[in-house]
Amino acid sequence: MRDSYGRDITYLRLSVTELCNLRCLYCMPEDGVCKKRHEEMLTEDEMIRAVEAAASLGVTKLRITGGEPLVKKNLLSICRRAAAVDGIKELCITTNGTRLAEMAVPLRKAGVSRVNISLDTLDEEKYAYITRHGSLSQALNGLHAALSAGFNQVKINTVLIGGFNDTEIRRLAELTLQYPLDVRFIELMPMPGGGDFGESAYIPCSAVLEALPEAVPRPSNDGVAKLYRLPNAKGDVGMISPVSAHFCGSCNRIRLTADGKLKPCLHSAQELPIKGMNLEEMTEQFKRAIGAKPVRHAELSSHSRSLAGRGMNTIGG
Ligand code: SAM
Ligand code: SF4
């Protein structure tokens, strides 16, 4: 379905849980989330109904996210059923990777075709710092399991943080020389619930190109990432610049939170509930949400936080 500005909305991001086994500094508070009542959250049947409603309006790509989707008990069943919905051509998942060692093959068998793994550093101590306790070796085991499980694509997502991992740009990008994967650098967004990073943490993705002068541009079929490739690499290096150069003009997505709220825009507090609705009602609500997409989001900077109204772990990225 087209929104009011002529953008074709073909991509649904479905957050299946707000819970996470990590506590990344930029994403959520140390004490985790205020646990909502079970009855407030979407049931598996409601999630699948929402996917059916979205698919009936032209959504073809579904990304499962969270919180950490791999902590969700019925994740494989959600994936199997979502992949089988008429019209869904691509089922992707975004994960911190720490549980992928056990889950990569079952996820592939459940119909997931592409995996994004969030990884901000290759240094054990820095990993434990940014995730507030996570184990780098667990995430790397997960990455290797994903590479062996036969997914169509494995991507690494790195949030670029000045003073933290800008010195690791080359090391992370060079993973594309070693493995058939893509590495995408994403500008740090000032989200509610995320820590207070100083101004110098917000560096533009152009820092990636400065660190990789030999990278050559590649044609991009991905609306949001600018793509480059290192000579002899097996995958691309991508740059996503929501802060320095918003990509609202080519936005093709709609988001559904685990507590059943449709978000027309990541950086707006506007939400439309679908909890408890039947298929027809949900479809109408999706139409309203797509119709409510703003032309663009408000300015983001270290001084002006996102107006998302909730933390990233409760939206899904
Ligand atoms: N737990 C999973 C993971 O970490 O991949 C999925 C959910 S997480 C909210 C989705 C994505 O949002 C991750 O790639 C994460 O790095 C990104 N993210 C979270 N907070 C962010 C922020 N403040 N700025 C930029 N990206 C952020
Ligand atoms: Fe958890 Fe992902 Fe947020 Fe990190 S970015 S705290 S792994 S939801």
Side-chain angles (χ1 to χ4, degrees):
M1 176 181 160
R2 287 252 156 98
D3 75 0
S4 324
Y5 302 95
R7 296 169 298 199
D8 224 353
I9 307 307
T10 54
Y11 176 16
L12 171 65
R13 294 181 70 101
L14 168 64
S15 171
V16 295
T17 179
E18 299 186 352
L19 305 179
C20 186
N21 57 340
L22 300 181
R23 296 280 181 277
C24 299
L25 287 171
Y26 47 71
C27 177
M28 65 192 282
E30 182 157 23
D31 48 1
V33 275
C34 160
K35 246 187 158 183
K36 293 186 177 135
R37 282 180 300 119
H38 187 67
E39 311 81 74
E40 289 177 71
M41 310 310 280
L42 288 181
T43 62
E44 178 176 327
D45 283 348
E46 285 173 327
M47 287 181 193
I48 299 305
R49 203 177 302 147
V51 175
E52 286 168 354
S56 76
L57 297 174
V59 164
T60 54
K61 174 175 170 180
L62 175 67
R63 177 171 301 281
I64 305 283
T65 176
E68 174 48 42
L70 272 59
V71 306
K72 178 86 175 161
K73 282 201 188 77
N74 51 343
L75 176 67
L76 291 175
S77 171
I78 294 171
C79 288
R80 257 190 305 272
R81 293 176 63 189
V85 168
D86 239 6
I88 295 299
K89 299 197 179 114
E90 220 178 6
L91 177 61
C92 316
I93 197 161
T94 296
T95 168
N96 62 37
T98 55
R99 296 200 175 176
L100 264 182
E102 314 85 69
M103 291 287 282
V105 169
L107 283 169
R108 183 70 188 111
K109 285 189 181 153
V112 174
S113 56
R114 304 211 257 156
V115 181
N116 286 5
I117 299 172
S118 302
L119 185 67
D120 302 322
T121 172
L122 292 170
D123 179 283
E124 184 91 54
E125 273 178 33
K126 283 166 73 178
Y127 186 86
Y129 165 77
I130 199 74
T131 60
R132 289 205 186 90
H133 66 251
S135 148
L136 175 66
S137 55
Q138 248 176 23
L140 292 179
N141 287 343
L143 170 63
H144 286 114
L147 287 169
S148 316
F151 292 107
N152 297 348
Q153 190 175 39
V154 176
K155 279 187 198 164
I156 290 179
N157 281 347
T158 300
V159 179
L160 197 54
I161 307 170
F164 174 70
N165 60 4
D166 46 338
T167 49
E168 284 191 83
I169 291 172
R170 174 163 291 279
R171 203 169 159 213
L172 285 157
E174 284 186 351
L175 289 173
T176 64
L177 301 178
Q178 227 176 325
Y179 303 108
L181 52 73
D182 299 326
V183 176
R184 302 197 312 176
F185 292 92
I186 303 167
E187 289 174 356
L188 173 65
M189 291 182 271
M191 299 302 291
D196 265 324
F197 292 84
E199 198 163 336
S200 57
Y202 294 90
I203 54 171
C205 266
S206 52
V208 173
L209 274 190
E210 284 161 28
L212 306 171
E214 75 276 38
V216 290
R218 301 260 297 164
S220 174
N221 54 1
D222 175 334
V224 300
K226 286 208 175 96
L227 299 182
Y228 291 81
R229 194 173 272 228
L230 294 174
N232 303 317
K234 300 179 170 124
D236 294 332
V237 175
M239 277 167 256
I240 303 184
S241 307
V243 180
S244 68
H246 71 88
F247 36 79
C248 303
S250 56
C251 183
N252 62 352
R253 55 191 70 184
I254 183 102
R255 293 174 168 82
L256 177 57
T257 65
D259 60 348
K261 306 293 192 311
L262 284 170
K263 278 190 89 66
C265 171
L266 167 59
H267 297 298
S268 155
Q270 188 182 15
E271 299 185 344
L272 291 85
I274 61 157
K275 175 83 190 155
M277 290 184 172
N278 64 30
L279 182 61
E280 206 178 312
E281 291 163 341
M282 274 192 197
T283 309
E284 287 307 309
Q285 197 69 315
F286 262 94
K287 284 186 194 164
R288 280 183 214 108
I290 291 172
K293 280 180 72 64
V295 65
R296 60 159 296 176
H297 61 71
E299 220 49 65
L300 297 171
S301 75
S302 58
H303 313 295
S304 50
R305 281 201 169 242
S306 164
L307 302 175
R310 44 163 88 212
M312 199 64 136
N313 66 296
T314 73
I315 303 173

